[in-house]
Amino acid sequence: MCLRALVAKKLRYLNMNFTKTTEQSSNYEHLERMSISDLLLHINTEDQTVPFAVQKALPQIETLVTTVVEKMKLGGRLFYIGAGTSGRLGIVDASECPPTFGVPFELVNGIIAGGDQAIRRAVENAEDNTTQAWIDLQEHHITTNDVVIGIAASGTTPYVISGLEQCNANNITTGCITCNEGSPLALTAQFPVVVVVGPEFVTGSSRMKAGTAQKLVLNMISTTTMIQLGKVKGNKMVDMQLSNDKLVDRGVKMIMSEIAVDYEKAAELLAQFGSVRKAVDNYQK
């Protein structure tokens, strides 16, 4: 049975009342007649509803993060898969983990429909491909210790759903981040996170509130996971990569606050040991 038939079957038998709230008409009319001031005010008003929608999903997020942490402690990795804005958001979150927490680049991975070229420019029909996601995941030699999180505001993206279907069939843990209750994606993922933000300011433009919600959830997943894995001490990024002058300066000041040395000595220790954690742990008065 093809993917579309499977999705149709799920909708018919499991959730007859599925509604794409992300596609519902905006609460505002005649946007082209509004002043710049009014446009900004109304967008901001809508944006303020997003954190409350995320708050309602906290139990789901906790369950998913708990699973991710457990799998990573077994040597597993985290994969985000998505198309368009959702795929790009996953890539952003994944790419920030190595410099922020000093973890290997392959620990958290972002995969977008259409490949890396789709990061900057949309690839036609990439999100409708029902076989490519599994091919993309297999290129990373995915295992049952890994977790795959599908990201799709609509919850109906074939690339993402088919990827999770294949993961489920191969005993790979799956989660999702979507903004439509009862969507095919939410029904497919073992650990769904559903953040219902309602209609967008510009009808159907899910890069807005839905995208903001996805970014907030991704921040929570990766940050909480890394803290649980010991990559933060106190409230400091003690394992961060020292990739520019700003971060070197931050690292020096972290060392100063931890072991009460002056700037020059802290800089010397950082240069010697290469990380804030190692400098603090190996310091001898």
Side-chain angles (χ1 to χ4, degrees):
M1 185 179 293
C2 71
L3 174 66
R4 294 186 187 280
L6 286 171
V7 170
K9 182 178 179 181
K10 284 186 177 181
L11 291 178
R12 187 164 59 250
Y13 293 111
L14 297 178
N15 197 338
M16 297 294 291
N17 298 315
F18 169 58
T19 300
K20 263 193 189 183
T21 57
T22 54
E23 295 291 332
Q24 289 180 332
S25 184
S26 172
N27 295 319
Y28 303 83
E29 295 288 348
H30 307 300
L31 305 188
E32 74 281 2
R33 300 179 189 175
M34 292 183 185
S35 66
I36 291 175
S37 177
D38 285 343
L39 288 167
L40 296 175
L41 174 63
H42 294 319
I43 292 172
N44 180 248
T45 297
E46 289 296 307
D47 285 345
Q48 290 179 51
T49 67
V50 175
F52 296 104
V54 173
Q55 184 180 44
K56 292 178 181 179
L58 284 177
Q60 294 179 322
I61 300 170
E62 179 180 357
T63 301
L64 177 55
V65 171
T66 299
T67 301
V68 172
V69 172
E70 290 173 351
K71 287 291 187 177
M72 282 195 169
K73 287 181 177 179
L74 294 173
R77 300 162 294 169
L78 176 60
F79 290 85
Y80 301 129
I81 60 172
T85 297
S86 296
R88 295 181 189 104
L89 288 170
I91 288 171
V92 168
D93 192 75
S95 66
E96 290 292 343
C97 287
T100 304
F101 302 108
V103 297
F105 281 95
E106 61 270 14
L107 186 64
V108 184
N109 305 271
I111 298 174
I112 187 171
D116 286 352
Q117 61 179 323
I119 297 172
R120 292 183 177 273
R121 182 174 296 180
V123 176
E124 187 176 0
N125 297 323
E127 71 173 53
D128 297 322
N129 192 310
T130 59
T131 59
Q132 190 62 44
W134 182 240
I135 294 171
D136 293 341
L137 287 166
Q138 286 182 303
E139 288 180 358
H140 293 267
H141 306 290
I142 194 165
T143 75
T144 55
N145 280 337
D146 299 325
V147 178
V148 178
I149 298 178
I151 313 171
S154 67
T156 59
T157 306
Y159 175 88
V160 179
I161 296 170
S162 63
L164 294 200
E165 291 274 11
Q166 287 293 324
C167 288
N168 289 338
N170 286 273
N171 298 314
I172 296 166
T173 302
T174 57
C176 76
I177 305 170
T178 183
C179 297
N180 284 323
E181 192 75 50
S183 68
L185 180 59
L187 295 174
T188 300
Q190 298 164 16
F191 298 97
V193 173
V194 183
V195 184
V196 181
V197 296
E200 297 286 2
F201 180 70
V202 176
T203 299
S205 183
S206 55
R207 68 185 180 85
M208 300 184 77
K209 289 193 298 181
T212 300
Q214 291 172 327
K215 181 66 167 68
L216 291 175
V217 174
L218 288 165
N219 285 347
M220 298 170 84
I221 291 172
S222 58
T223 303
T224 304
T225 295
M226 293 302 156
I227 292 172
Q228 289 288 301
L229 293 176
K231 308 308 289 183
V232 171
K233 183 177 181 181
N235 57 18
K236 304 295 196 303
M237 299 179 290
V238 293
D239 292 323
M240 65 179 181
Q241 293 180 356
L242 306 172
S243 55
N244 58 50
D245 290 343
K246 178 190 73 174
L247 296 180
V248 170
D249 179 67
R250 182 186 296 168
V252 170
K253 291 175 180 176
M254 285 184 193
I255 294 170
M256 291 172 65
S257 68
E258 287 291 322
I259 57 177
V261 295
D262 60 22
Y263 192 97
E264 183 177 357
K265 180 61 176 179
E268 178 185 319
L269 289 168
L270 188 60
Q272 179 182 354
F273 293 103
S275 80
V276 174
R277 184 188 296 275
K278 291 179 181 178
V280 171
D281 289 347
N282 289 282
Y283 174 64
Q284 296 179 350
K285 294 183 180 179

